Amino acid sequence: MSIRPSKYDALEFQPPFIDRAEVRMPSNRMRVLIVDDDPFIRDSLFEILSAYRFRVRCADGACAALAAIRQEVPDLLLCDLNMPGLSGFELLSAVRHRFPLLYVIAMSGSFFGDAVPPGVAADAFYPKSSGINTLLEIIASTAGLPAVRTERSA
C-alpha cells in the first residue's frame, strides 16, 4: 500500500474537458485524500483536483488511508466503496467514528443516484459514471459547510 504526494506539476495541468467557468471551487487550499484501489482513477482524480489547486494525497486502500489520516487529517476524504481487503464501507465507518467532523464523499461505479447509499457513513455520494463535473459540484458545495459540520452529531 502506498501514500503518494504530488508527482505532477499541478500548475501546468489544465484538463480540457472540464468547463471551469461552470464550477466554482473553494479558493482555499483544501486538503483532499483520495482513496481508490484503481491507479487510473486515483491518478486521474489527483491530476484534476490538483489543477484546481487542492492539496491532494492518494492512498491505494483503506489501511494506507488510515495511516495518511493519522499523519494529517484532510478537509475532505473521497473514498471508493468497493476495494479489496478492508472495504470503503468499513473505512468510512471507522473514519466517521474516529474523525466525526471530516467531510466524506463516497464514490462507486456500482451505485447510482444522488443519495448516499444505505449503510454508507458519508456526507455525499459521487457515482463514478456521472462525470467529473458532478464531483466538482459536490466538492464545491463543501466550501460552505464548516458551520454545518460542527453541529452534526457523530
Side-chain angles (χ1 to χ4, degrees):
M1 299 193 192
S2 65
I3 301 167
R4 170 174 61 73
S6 173
K7 73 175 186 180
Y8 302 101
D9 185 353
L11 298 177
E12 290 183 7
F13 179 75
Q14 296 295 319
F17 53 92
I18 298 172
D19 185 354
R20 297 168 73 90
E22 286 185 19
V23 180
R24 291 181 180 240
M25 300 307 287
S27 60
N28 64 355
R29 297 274 294 158
M30 185 182 285
R31 298 166 302 181
V32 178
L33 177 61
I34 299 168
V35 185
D36 200 307
D37 61 314
D38 184 329
F40 176 76
I41 291 174
R42 259 193 338 264
D43 290 344
S44 298
L45 291 174
F46 177 88
E47 288 189 39
I48 291 165
L49 296 180
S50 294
Y52 281 95
R53 296 197 173 112
F54 288 104
R55 291 177 39 210
V56 183
R57 294 181 299 152
C58 294
D60 63 1
C63 292
L66 288 171
I69 292 169
R70 274 186 244 120
Q71 189 176 52
E72 178 186 33
V73 178
D75 300 309
L76 171 69
L77 175 65
L78 178 59
C79 182
D80 186 27
L81 293 176
N82 298 313
M83 296 184 291
L86 193 64
S87 73
F89 294 93
E90 295 164 314
L91 171 62
L92 296 182
S93 179
V95 165
R96 182 62 76 215
H97 177 72
R98 294 182 66 190
F99 306 95
L101 298 181
L102 175 57
Y103 194 83
V104 175
I105 300 173
M107 64 178 171
S108 178
S110 301
F111 296 94
F112 302 97
D114 297 336
V116 176
V120 176
D123 298 295
F125 177 70
Y126 166 62
K128 289 180 180 178
S129 62
S130 65
I132 195 64
N133 278 336
T134 300
L135 176 61
L136 294 173
E137 289 170 3
I138 294 168
I139 293 172
S141 73
T142 68
L145 291 179
V148 174
R149 285 175 42 204
T150 56
E151 295 171 8
R152 182 182 59 194
S153 60

